[in-house]
Amino acid sequence: MAVRRRPAAAAAGDLPPQAPPADAAPTPAPDELVLRPPNLRVAAVAAVLFLAPFSYLSFVRYRLGADLQRSILKCGAMSLIGFCVALKLIPVAASYHLRRRMFGYDINKKGLPTGQIKVPEALGLVVGIIYLVIAIIFQQFHYAPDSIWLVEYNAALASVCFMILLGFVDDVLDVPWRVKLALPTFAALPLLMAYAGGTSIIIPKPLTPYVGLTVLELGLFYKLFMLLLAVFCTNSINIHAGLNGLEVGQTIVISAAVLIHNVMRIASSTDIETQQAHEFSIYLVLPFLTISLALLAFNWYPSIVFVGDTYTYFAGMALAVIGILGHFSETLLLFFLPQVLNFLCSVPQLFHFVPCPRHRLPRFDPETGLLTGTKDGNLVNIFLRLFGKCSEKALCIRLLIFQALCCVFCFWLRYMLTGWYK
Amino acid sequence: MAVRRRPAAAAAGDLPPQAPPADAAPTPAPDELVLRPPNLRVAAVAAVLFLAPFSYLSFVRYRLGADLQRSILKCGAMSLIGFCVALKLIPVAASYHLRRRMFGYDINKKGLPTGQIKVPEALGLVVGIIYLVIAIIFQQFHYAPDSIWLVEYNAALASVCFMILLGFVDDVLDVPWRVKLALPTFAALPLLMAYAGGTSIIIPKPLTPYVGLTVLELGLFYKLFMLLLAVFCTNSINIHAGLNGLEVGQTIVISAAVLIHNVMRIASSTDIETQQAHEFSIYLVLPFLTISLALLAFNWYPSIVFVGDTYTYFAGMALAVIGILGHFSETLLLFFLPQVLNFLCSVPQLFHFVPCPRHRLPRFDPETGLLTGTKDGNLVNIFLRLFGKCSEKALCIRLLIFQALCCVFCFWLRYMLTGWYK
C-alpha cells in the first residue's frame, strides 16, 4: 500500500564481470533461478563430527541430570526443526536476493565459467531470523516469566537481533569501513546494560604475591572488556573469511568447542550458578550450531550462496553474547585463537601502516585450479605460503582443522592449568 | 573482506518511468545527490502542537514528583539528541539508499516533473536504529540491573528491533503479501513470552449481572489478544498510507495522545504499579515521538524521502509494545480508531471479496494538482468522496485532524465512562 512504484528489480546491464561471448547460450533470467541442491553430505558429516562429542558427553559419559537432559533434547528438537526450515527457506530467499541484485561473483574462481555465476549474497539473514525465532520460542518452554535469567536472555536476543539488522544493513548499503567497526558497539549495548554477573577477575595464583590480591574488582572496566570482546568477535570472524565455507565452518568449530566446554563444566562444577550459566549457554549455542550446518550445506565449496556480513556479524555477536553471559569469556578467547592470529597479522594493513588492497585474497590460477599465497598478511595467505599451493576446498579444510586444533589446545591448557593457575 | 565483487551499484537502465526528452539536461549521478533541506518549520510546529500539552500537564498542571520529572527531562534530552542525529543522518543514509536502487517515484505527482524524481525509500531504518540506541542507553540511566521492569524493557527492545529488521527485509526484498501479514507475529514473540502482567479483564459494570463475574481470567487467550493487537497495529498503520507525511503524522498524533494519557493516569492513580507502567510507557514513547518529528521534516509534502515498511512496521510494533506493557491496550485501540475504520473499509479488497488493484490511491490530476477519490475502500478515498477534491497536503492534514479528533473522543469516552463502565 506504499506510495511508490518500484523500478524494475532486474534491470538491463546486469552483465557478469567478463561478458560471455555473443554466441553463448543466454543465461536464464534471475526469476527462473534454480539453485543446485545443497550439499547435504557435508552437513551430515559436520553434524556427526561436531555434535557427536557433545551428545556422548551429555548422555553417556557424564549422564547429566534428567531435567537437563530433557531440556537439551527439547532444544535439540527445536534446532532440528530450524535446520529443516533453513534448508527449505534458503533457496527461496536466494531467489529474492538475486532479484534485488544482492549477489556477487566468486573471485576465487575468476577465469572459470563458475566465476561468472551470480551467487546470491547475505543469506545469513535467513538463518539469523530462524535462530531468533527458535531462541524466542524456546524461552517459553524453559524460563518462567519471573526467572532472573530472562533479563539476560532477552538482552542477548536484543543484541543478536540488533547485530543481524546492522549486518544486513551493511550488506545492502555497503557501509564505510570506519562505521562498520563501530556497529557491534551499538549492538552490544543491550547486553552490557543487562549484564548482572560479577565484574571481578580472579588473579592467577602465580601472580597473587605480586598483585597482593586474589580477586580484582574491575567494575566498569569489566564492562569495557565485554564491549571490546563483542567488537573483537564480530569483526574478527568478518575478516577471517574469503574462502567458500570458511565463515560458517569456523563458527561451527567454535560452537562445538563451546558445547563441549559447557558440558564438562556442568559435570565438574558443584556451584549451582556456574551450572546454570553453562546450561544457559547450551540453549543458545545448540540452535546456533544446528542452523549453521544448514547454511554450510549451501556455502561449502563450490558455494551456492554467500553468507554476507549478516552472518559473520550475527555469528560473532552470538558467540560473544554466549561467552559473556555464560561467564567463560576468557576460554572463548582461546577458542578464537586463529581469529586472534589473523587479526594480529592483519593489523598493519587494517590500520594502513602498509597499503591495503580492496581484497586480500590469494591469487587463483584458472589453469591448475590452485590458489597461491600473496604477501597480504592474513591466515589464508600465510597458510598458502607455509604449506604450498592448494585448492580452495583443501585450504578451507586445513584452516578448519587448525581451528579445531586450537580448541583442543585450549582444552589442554585449561585443564592442565586448573588448580595451579587459578 | 568478503569473497565477492559487487556489481556496479548504479547500473545503466535506471530510467524514470517516463524517459526525459533526449535534449534534457542530464540528471546528476546518484552519488552527487543533494537533497533539498528538511522542512524544519513543520517539525517545529508539530513539536509544539504535540509536545506542549504533555509538558504542560507534567510540569505545570499535575506537578509530577521531582524524581519522575527529572527522569522525563533526562529522557527528553536524549530524545532531543536523537532528533538532531536523525536530521543529520537521514540525508547521508538517503544517498546510500539511492545508490543501492532503493527508491520510488511519487505516484501522487505522476505527470509533473516532481513525479520523475527518484525518492529514496525505507528511511524509517535510520530513525528505527537511532530509537533503539536511545532506548538502550536510557536503560542504563534508569533501571538497575535487577529491576523487574528490565525483563519487559529488553523484551520490548527485542520485539521492536526484530520488527525493524523484518520491515527492512520487506523493503529490500519485497516479501509476498501473505508473508507480510505473518511477520509481526514473529516479532511480537519476545514480548508475549516476557509479559508478566495480569491476564484478566474487568467486566464492565453494566454487564456483570449477565456474566456473573466482575473479573474474567483469560489466561492464554489474553496472550492471543496481545498477539492480535500487535499484528493489527503494525498492519493497520502500514495500510493507512499513501500520502506524503501520513504514515509519520498519524503515529505522531497517536504518540502525543499516549503521552497525555500516561500523565493523566499517573496523576489520577494511587496504585504504584499502574503509575510505574505509565512511566515505563513515557520513557518508550517520548523518544519515539521525537525522532518521528525528524522524519516528518523530510517526509512532509513534498516528500524528500519515503519512510518504507521499515517505519510503518517499527511504529506499529513500538506502539503495540507500549500499549501492552503499559497495560492500556484498550485505550490504545481507541486511539487507533481511524486505523480500525480504514481496516474495516479495506477488508473486502484485502481479502479479495472484490478486486484489489496494486495501489488503492486516489487519481491525481496534473492539470489542477488535485486528488479525486476512487471507489477503492479506504479512508483516503472516502475522505475525498465525502469532502471533495483537494491537494495531497490538504488531504493529509484533514486525515491527521480526524486522527486527533478520534483521540479527543477517546479521552472524552474514557473519562465519561469511568465509574459507570468500570
Side-chain angles (χ1 to χ4, degrees), chain B residues 271-390:
Chain B
D271 176 34
I272 189 87
E273 224 174 276
T274 307
Q275 290 184 332
Q276 281 182 346
H278 285 280
E279 284 177 31
F280 183 87
S281 165
I282 290 177
Y283 305 142
L284 287 173
V285 179
L286 191 53
F288 174 68
L289 197 166
T290 318
I291 51 139
S292 295
L293 289 173
L295 191 55
L296 187 71
F298 290 89
N299 187 240
W300 189 250
Y301 181 91
S303 287
I304 310 170
V305 305
F306 289 150
V307 299
D309 290 349
T310 315
Y311 181 77
T312 53
Y313 282 0
F314 156 53
M317 184 55 82
L319 288 171
V321 159
I322 290 161
I324 290 170
L325 295 183
H327 307 300
F328 57 92
S329 42
E330 294 163 54
T331 308
L332 185 74
L333 260 185
L334 286 175
F335 292 150
F336 268 76
L337 198 56
Q339 283 74 15
V340 174
L341 293 176
N342 186 57
F343 176 73
L344 292 178
C345 304
S346 303
V347 161
Q349 289 191 315
L350 288 186
F351 294 95
H352 291 284
F353 301 134
V354 298
C356 181
R358 171 81 182 85
H359 290 292
R360 304 186 303 149
L361 290 173
R363 235 191 338 274
F364 176 68
D365 180 1
E367 300 291 314
T368 59
L370 299 181
L371 295 171
T372 317
T374 65
K375 284 195 170 167
D376 294 311
N378 56 21
L379 275 195
V380 170
N381 284 308
I382 290 173
F383 260 60
L384 284 171
R385 293 209 297 270
L386 280 181
F387 304 109
K389 296 179 185 189
C390 68

Side-chain angles (χ1 to χ4, degrees), chain A residues 4 6 121 171-172 174, chain B residues 4 6 100 121 171 174:
Chain A
R4 57 193 165 89
R6 265 284 165 69
E121 171 66 284
D171 274 327
V172 172
D174 260 336
Chain B
R4 57 193 164 88
R6 266 282 166 71
R100 281 299 287 163
E121 171 67 283
D171 274 327
D174 260 334

Side-chain angles (χ1 to χ4, degrees), chain A residues 1-14 17 93 96-97 100-108 110 121 125 129 132-133 136-137 139-140 145 147 150-152 154-155 157-158 161-162 164-166 168-177 180 186 189-190 192-196 220 223 238-239 241-244 247 306 308-309 350 356-361 392, chain B residues 1-14 17 93 96-97 100-108 110 121 125 129 132-133 136-137 139-140 145 147 150-152 154-155 157-158 161-162 164-166 168-177 180 186 189-190 192-196 220 223 238-239 241-244 247 306 308-309 350 356-361 392:
Chain A
M1 298 298 130
V3 61
R4 57 193 165 89
R5 194 161 24 154
R6 265 284 165 69
D14 261 10
Y96 275 89
H97 285 222
R100 279 299 286 165
R101 304 165 55 91
M102 294 179 65
F103 57 83
Y105 298 103
D106 205 330
I107 293 185
N108 287 332
K110 200 179 170 184
E121 171 66 284
L125 179 69
I129 291 176
L132 285 175
V133 173
I136 295 164
I137 296 179
Q139 202 183 139
Q140 174 75 338
S147 163
L150 214 50
V151 177
E152 301 200 343
N154 278 324
L157 286 181
C161 182
F162 203 2
I164 296 174
L165 170 63
L166 295 176
F168 188 60
V169 168
D170 184 20
D171 274 327
V172 172
L173 301 180
D174 260 336
V175 172
W177 183 244
K180 239 187 237 287
F186 295 117
L189 285 177
L192 302 189
M193 302 296 162
Y195 180 76
L220 264 186
K223 292 212 166 181
N238 193 34
I239 61 174
L243 300 177
N244 290 176
E247 292 95 329
F306 288 149
D309 289 350
L350 288 187
C356 181
R358 173 78 182 86
H359 290 292
R360 305 186 303 149
L361 291 172
E392 186 178 0
Chain B
M1 296 297 130
V3 61
R4 57 193 164 88
R5 192 160 24 151
R6 266 282 166 71
D14 260 11
Y96 276 87
H97 285 223
R100 281 299 287 163
R101 303 165 55 88
M102 294 178 66
F103 58 84
Y105 298 103
D106 205 329
I107 292 185
N108 287 334
K110 201 178 169 185
E121 171 67 283
L125 178 69
I129 291 177
L132 285 175
V133 173
I136 295 163
I137 296 179
Q139 202 183 139
Q140 173 74 341
S147 163
L150 214 50
V151 177
E152 301 199 345
N154 278 323
L157 287 181
C161 182
F162 203 1
I164 297 174
L165 170 63
L166 295 176
F168 188 61
V169 168
D170 183 19
D171 274 327
V172 172
L173 301 180
D174 260 334
V175 172
W177 184 245
K180 239 187 239 282
F186 294 117
L189 285 177
L192 301 190
M193 301 296 162
Y195 180 76
L220 264 186
K223 291 212 168 183
N238 193 34
I239 62 173
L243 300 177
N244 289 177
E247 293 95 328
F306 289 150
D309 290 349
L350 288 186
C356 181
R358 171 81 182 85
H359 290 292
R360 304 186 303 149
L361 290 173
E392 186 178 0

Side-chain angles (χ1 to χ4, degrees), chain A residues 286-326:
Chain A
L286 191 53
F288 174 67
L289 198 165
T290 318
I291 51 138
S292 295
L293 288 173
L295 191 55
L296 188 70
F298 291 90
N299 187 240
W300 190 250
Y301 181 92
S303 287
I304 310 170
V305 305
F306 288 149
V307 299
D309 289 350
T310 315
Y311 181 77
T312 53
Y313 282 180
F314 157 53
M317 185 55 80
L319 289 171
V321 159
I322 290 160
I324 290 170
L325 296 182

Side-chain angles (χ1 to χ4, degrees), chain A residues 119-146:
Chain A
V119 184
E121 171 66 284
L123 265 297
L125 179 69
V126 179
V127 293
I129 291 176
I130 295 175
Y131 175 75
L132 285 175
V133 173
I134 297 176
I136 295 164
I137 296 179
F138 178 74
Q139 202 183 139
Q140 174 75 338
F141 286 110
H142 195 71
Y143 290 106
D146 57 351

